C-alpha cells in the first residue's frame, strides 16, 4: 500500500467525496432467516468525508489508501465495488482508486460502505455503464447492508437489513459533533451479542413516531435511541466509562440528541446552534476526547454535490479542487450556494 496519493496523470478522472453517516435512531426488530437482523433505522449523512480520486486505466484495478489500517486487497470494499461493477456490466476497462481517509475506521460511521457506494457511482459514470443509483442498488446491497443508503443520502429510513432505503419527506439540518474514540468495534460481534440479549419485547415504534411527527420541535429527537448500544458496550467494556462521560458532557452542553452511531464506537451529538456545538467540542476536547465538527447533509445537498462531482468530469481533468482544511466542510460545499447557515435545528421539505 502506498501513502502518496498524487494523481499520476492529468487525464479524465473523478474526484469525489464519500460522506459519513450517523444513525439518528436504530431499532432491532428480530433475527432474519439469512442470519442478518431486521432493522428500522434513521440514517443521516454528515459532511465528514473521505476523498476519493479515481483515474481510468486500460486494464486492472488498483486501490490505495493513506491509512495503513485499510487493506489494499479484496477485503477493501471499494475494490470489491469496482469488481462487482466490472462483472455486472461486462466492463474490461480498469481504474486506479486512491482513498484519503478522514472517516474513523470501525467507528460505526460506515466509511467503508460510503467509499464503496462512491466508487460504484463514480465508475458507473467513468466507464459509461449508465446504471444510475437505482440500477446500482442490487450491487450495493450485495456489498453490505449500509452501502445502498449512500446511493441516496440525506435523512432516510432504512428497513430490512438497513438496505431498503426510503428518503424522508422532511430533512434534518443541524450541527453535529462526532467523538472519535479510535477504538474499532466489530459490527458482526455486536450483532452476535444482540442475539444473546434479544428477548421478545414490544416494538417501541419510536422511529415511526419520530417520522410521523411534524418534527418541528426538538422534543421529537428525545424519543430516539440506538438499540445496539448495550451490546456495543458489552463488546467493548473499556468504553463504558468514556461513553458516560461523553453523554454527560453532550447533554450538559445542550445536545438535542446524544447517541452512539451504528455499532460504535463513535458517539455523536446534534445541536440546533453552532455555538452550542462549539461549546460541546471545547468541553470534550478539554476532557481529552478527539472531536470532529460536521453538519448534516440533506438529500437535496447530497444530490447536488454528486451531480456536481459527476458533471465536472466532462468539464475538466484532475487537480483543481482544493482540499478542505477541516474534517467536515462546515457548510462550504453543499450547504446552499446562498450561504444559508444551520442556525437552528430544522427539518426541511425535500
Ligand atoms: O452487511 P455488512 O457486511 O456491512 O454487515 C456486517 C455484519 O453486521 C454482518 O456480517 C452481520 O453480522 C451484521 N448485520 C446484521 N444485521 C444487519 C446488518 C448487519 O446482523 N441488518
Amino acid at each position: 500500500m502506498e501513502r502518496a496519493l498524487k494523481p499520476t496523470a492529468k487525464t479524465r478522472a473523478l474526484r469525489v467525496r464519500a460522506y459519513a453517516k450517523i444513525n439518528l435512531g436504530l431499532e432491532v426488530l428480530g433475527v432474519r432467516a439469512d442470519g442478518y437482523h431486521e432493522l428500522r433505522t434513521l440514517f443521516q449523512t454528515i459532511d465528514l468525508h473521505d476523498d476519493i480520486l479515481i483515474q481510468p486505466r486500460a486494464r486492472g484495478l488498483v486501490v490505495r489508501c493513506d491509512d495503513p489500517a485499510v487493506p489494499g486487497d479484496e477485503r477493501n470494499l471499494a475494490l470489491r465495488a469496482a469488481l462487482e461493477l466490472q462483472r455486472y456490466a461486462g466492463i474490461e476497462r480498469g481504474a486506479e482508486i486512491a482513498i484519503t481517509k478522514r472517516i474513523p475506521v470501525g467507528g460505526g460511521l460506515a466509511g467503508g460502505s460510503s467509499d464503496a457506494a462512491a466508487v460504484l457511482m463514480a465508475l458507473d459514470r467513468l466507464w459509461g455503464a449508465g446504471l444510475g443509483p437505482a440500477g446500482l442498488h442490487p450491487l450495493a446491497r450485495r456489498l453490505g447492508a449500509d452501502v445502498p443508503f449512500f446511493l441516496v443520502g440525506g435523512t432516510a429510513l432504512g428497513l430490512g437489513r438497513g438496505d431498503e432505503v426510503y428518503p424522508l419527506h422532511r430533512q434534518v439540518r443541524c450541527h453535529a459533533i462526532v467523538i472519535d474514540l479510535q477504538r474499532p468495534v466489530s459490527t458482526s460481534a455486536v450483532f452476535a451479542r444482540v442475539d444473546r440479549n434479544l428477548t421478545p419485547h414490544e416494538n417501541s415504534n419510536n422511529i415511526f413516531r419520530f417520522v410521523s411527527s411534524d418534527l418541528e420541535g426538538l422534543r421529537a429527537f428525545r424519543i430516539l435511541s440506538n438499540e445496539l448500544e448495550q451490546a456495543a458496550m458489552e463488546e467493548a467494556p473499556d468504553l463504558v466509562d468514556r461513553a458516560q462521560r461523553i453523554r454527560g458532557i453532550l447533554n450538559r452542553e445542550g445536545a438535542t440528541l446524544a447517541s452512539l452511531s451504528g455499532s460504535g464506537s463513535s458517539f455523536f451529538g446534534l445541536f440546533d446552534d453552532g455555538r452550542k456545538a462549539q461549546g460541546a467540542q471545547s468541553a470534550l476536547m478539554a476532557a481529552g476526547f478527539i472531536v470532529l465538527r460536521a453538519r448534516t447533509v440533506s438529500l437535496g445537498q447530497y444530490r447536488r454535490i454528486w451531480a456536481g462531482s459527476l458533471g465536472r468530469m466532462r468539464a475538466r481533468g484532475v487537480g483543481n479542487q482544493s482540499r478542505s482544511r477541516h474534517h467536515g466542510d462546515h457548510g462550504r460545499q453543499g450547504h446552499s450556494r446562498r450561504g444559508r447557515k444551520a442556525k437552528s435545528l430544522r427539518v426541511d421539505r425535500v
Side-chain angles (χ1 to χ4, degrees):
M1 194 156 7
E2 298 166 45
R3 292 185 66 84
L5 295 179
K6 294 252 158 54
T8 50
K10 285 223 164 193
T11 178
R12 265 164 42 113
L14 274 176
R15 196 185 283 276
V16 295
R17 292 177 171 187
Y19 290 90
K21 65 85 178 152
I22 51 178
N23 299 84
L24 302 177
L26 194 157
E27 293 168 359
V28 183
L29 305 180
V31 188
R32 297 158 50 106
D34 62 7
Y36 272 76
H37 293 77
E38 191 72 14
L39 303 182
R40 186 188 288 142
T41 187
L42 265 181
F43 287 118
Q44 175 67 58
T45 35
I46 56 173
D47 66 0
L48 169 65
H49 62 86
D50 291 344
D51 287 321
I52 308 185
L53 176 65
I54 304 183
Q55 297 183 91
R57 283 163 60 115
R59 290 278 183 279
L61 291 168
V62 182
V63 67
R64 296 184 278 132
C65 183
D66 66 337
D67 182 342
V70 177
D73 56 23
E74 285 199 31
R75 284 169 299 165
N76 187 306
L77 211 53
L79 179 59
R80 295 224 303 270
L83 285 165
E84 278 279 345
L85 183 58
Q86 261 187 341
R87 271 196 289 266
Y88 187 83
I91 284 162
E92 293 189 345
R93 278 189 282 158
E96 188 175 326
I97 301 162
I99 303 171
T100 304
K101 212 74 197 138
R102 300 179 203 280
I103 305 172
V105 176
L109 302 166
S113 299
S114 186
D115 291 348
V119 164
L120 284 180
M121 292 193 280
L123 286 180
D124 182 45
R125 169 57 69 91
L126 199 67
W127 288 338
L131 296 173
L136 291 170
H137 185 263
L139 287 76
R141 64 199 298 266
R142 273 204 292 279
L143 291 165
D146 281 345
V147 181
F149 164 65
F150 293 102
L151 300 174
V152 179
T155 314
L157 180 65
L159 300 180
R161 300 184 313 160
D163 52 0
E164 289 172 31
V165 182
Y166 303 92
L168 290 192
H169 184 57
R170 290 164 190 264
Q171 296 282 301
V172 171
R173 286 172 195 268
C174 62
H175 295 265
I177 61 173
V178 174
I179 298 93
D180 175 9
L181 293 176
Q182 303 203 303
R183 163 46 160 115
V185 173
S186 156
T187 302
S188 50
V190 170
F191 273 106
R193 284 184 185 272
V194 168
D195 287 348
R196 275 172 247 162
N197 298 342
L198 208 61
T199 48
H201 63 283
E202 198 67 35
N203 186 340
S204 66
N205 280 324
N206 281 341
I207 288 179
F208 173 73
R209 283 172 53 210
F210 179 84
V211 169
S212 56
S213 74
D214 71 4
L215 308 184
E216 297 295 352
L218 304 182
R219 278 183 314 165
F221 283 87
R222 289 196 203 130
I223 63 176
L224 297 175
S225 65
N226 181 346
E227 292 185 0
L228 290 179
E229 181 165 343
Q230 191 192 330
M233 292 300 115
E234 282 171 18
E235 178 62 21
D238 51 303
L239 297 183
V240 172
D241 175 53
R242 279 182 276 173
Q244 272 168 7
R245 278 160 55 213
I246 290 167
R247 195 170 255 122
I249 294 172
L250 288 172
N251 288 333
R252 197 180 68 221
E253 299 293 330
T256 303
L257 178 64
S259 179
L260 182 76
S261 185
S263 55
S265 60
S266 303
F267 280 80
F268 68 87
L270 294 188
F271 294 86
D272 57 357
D273 175 311
R275 277 164 310 185
K276 284 190 201 163
Q278 177 67 55
Q281 179 177 24
S282 304
L284 284 158
M285 285 170 70
F289 292 104
I290 298 169
V291 185
L292 311 174
R293 281 286 293 283
R295 288 207 190 146
T296 54
V297 176
S298 72
L299 177 66
Q301 290 166 339
Y302 196 80
R303 283 185 179 157
R304 279 197 295 280
I305 292 165
W306 269 99
S309 301
L310 298 180
R312 251 200 304 277
M313 191 192 78
R314 272 179 298 191
R316 43 178 128 122
V318 183
N320 46 6
Q321 191 175 342
S322 64
R323 187 181 286 184
S324 168
R325 282 182 292 118
H326 307 277
H327 284 282
D329 284 350
H330 301 262
R332 276 185 293 132
Q333 182 173 351
H335 286 278
S336 174
R337 293 173 200 115
R338 284 163 292 168
R340 184 170 51 200
K341 293 266 192 308
K343 285 216 181 73
S344 61
L345 193 148
R346 292 211 336 255
V347 184
D348 284 356
R349 284 168 193 281
V350 177

